[in-house]
Amino acid sequence: MATNTIDFDKVKQTADFKEVGEGRNFSADFPSVQNQVSREEWQARVDLAACYRLVDLYDMTYLIYNHITVRVPGTDQFLINLYGLTYKEITASSLAKVDLDGNIVWKPEGTDYGINAAGYVIHSAIHKARKDINAVIHTHSIAGMAVSAMRSGLLPLTQNAMRFDGHIGYHDYEGPALSMEEQQRLVADLGPHNAMVLRNHGLLTAGASIPEAFNLLYQLETSCRAQVAALTAAVDGVGAPPQDVIDLTAKVFAPTTLRRYGLLEWPAMLRKVEAETRNNGYPYYAS
């Protein structure tokens, strides 16, 4: 495989990289835009901000890095975090709006934050290719990175992991995801699935909604944590059920069999965000 070409000037422009100096606005306090957007967009913003807080609460963050996106209802634009905020700081009003070509079409007035270029490379590719997907989550959790480095990939060792058997893609590492040349291969490797292991990199999940994508991420992350823990006994010290049992389990948990996952869980997740973030010293997520 040829080495990807990276437009470093475009990366710097997207992230708004400049020498940090006096007068730079890196505030994490953003005025509400609720009255400036449609009701549908505001709800998407609130759900996305809640998702960032949940990823933080479940210990899947990575400093200021990584990204979660949601399509702005009725458009080909998507919302993404500003590059430089921790997930604890992200609010509905701090999210930037990006088009499928990676152009920032809106961000809070006066801020000097940009967006992570890898965010638009990965997320715009999926949003463009899969109209059934409205939300995409990418993480660099320790367990996810560990499994991404295993030749075996995700093993069907637990009920959580069995749901992904035959329903997960794998994408080989090509270096930091900053090249548009990688997009076509990334989409092809995701295929019809809503979950993917980015080898030597991390995890990715997607769904028709934020609740669905988050629920899938939680299941994939816990599968990886369980696998890493189990393999402390060495590969020959663990075992999986027969393949017909694995196939049955995967069918039971498929979103088309019983129900789409996330819808029932999401109200409980929002209660968790409300209870654990309301007065924690960080901006309120739905502001």
Side-chain angles (χ1 to χ4, degrees), residues 211-212 215 259-271:
E212 185 175 328
N215 186 269
R259 64 176 175 86
R260 282 197 170 275
Y261 284 87
L263 299 181
L264 183 62
E265 296 85 354
W266 192 244
M269 293 298 95
L270 291 180
R271 291 192 296 272

Side-chain angles (χ1 to χ4, degrees), residues 141-155:
S141 67
I142 293 174
M145 289 190 290
V147 170
S148 79
M150 297 178 185
R151 292 189 181 93
S152 65
L154 186 66
L155 297 169

Side-chain angles (χ1 to χ4, degrees), residues 9-254:
D9 289 335
K10 176 67 173 177
V11 171
K12 291 179 181 179
Q13 179 185 3
T14 301
D16 203 13
F17 286 151
K18 296 173 185 173
E19 292 298 322
V20 177
E22 189 175 349
R24 298 279 288 157
N25 181 4
F26 288 124
S27 170
D29 184 20
F30 301 94
S32 176
V33 298
Q34 183 173 4
N35 295 328
Q36 302 173 34
V37 300
S38 67
R39 182 176 61 182
E40 293 77 14
E41 179 176 332
W42 180 250
Q43 186 60 57
R45 286 175 170 273
V46 170
D47 283 344
L48 181 54
C51 190
Y52 277 106
R53 302 300 181 98
L54 285 165
V55 170
D56 175 76
L57 288 171
Y58 284 103
D59 197 24
M60 294 183 277
T61 57
Y62 183 54
L63 295 180
I64 61 170
Y65 310 109
N66 300 142
H67 9 82
I68 311 171
T69 58
V70 69
R71 195 187 304 270
V72 177
T75 76
D76 280 330
Q77 299 171 344
F78 59 91
L79 301 169
I80 192 171
N81 54 310
L82 294 176
Y83 193 15
L85 298 179
T86 65
Y87 283 17
K88 282 184 171 71
E89 298 173 305
I90 292 170
T91 66
S93 298
S94 71
L95 298 161
K97 192 183 302 185
V98 182
D99 65 21
L100 294 180
D101 294 320
N103 300 306
I104 300 175
V105 298
W106 185 91
K107 69 177 183 176
E109 185 176 355
T111 187
D112 286 315
Y113 293 115
I115 66 166
N116 189 329
Y120 86 80
V121 170
I122 295 172
H123 292 247
S124 66
I126 297 171
H127 283 298
K128 183 183 295 185
R130 294 278 302 275
K131 298 303 182 183
D132 60 314
I133 286 176
N134 293 313
V136 181
I137 307 176
H138 171 47
T139 62
H140 283 183
S141 67
I142 293 174
M145 289 190 290
V147 170
S148 79
M150 297 178 185
R151 292 189 181 93
S152 65
L154 186 66
L155 297 169
L157 300 177
T158 61
Q159 177 173 278
N160 284 29
M162 289 177 212
R163 75 175 61 219
F164 294 102
D165 195 66
H167 301 286
I168 191 167
Y170 289 87
H171 176 65
D172 287 341
Y173 188 65
E174 300 184 19
L178 298 173
S179 173
M180 302 300 284
E181 297 167 18
E182 187 174 355
Q183 288 189 314
Q184 187 174 357
R185 292 183 292 276
L186 190 148
V187 168
D189 289 336
L190 178 62
H193 309 307
N194 281 8
M196 184 158 63
V197 173
L198 304 173
R199 290 195 181 276
N200 308 103
H201 187 169
L203 305 177
L204 183 145
T205 63
S209 66
I210 281 289
E212 185 175 328
F214 175 77
N215 186 269
L216 200 61
L217 176 68
Y218 181 83
Q219 304 298 339
L220 183 56
E221 171 67 19
T222 53
S223 298
C224 290
R225 292 183 188 184
Q227 178 167 319
V228 171
L231 289 182
T232 59
V235 174
D236 59 358
V238 298
Q243 188 60 48
D244 61 331
V245 175
I246 294 171
D247 293 342
L248 174 62
T249 303
K251 181 178 180 179
V252 168
F253 287 116

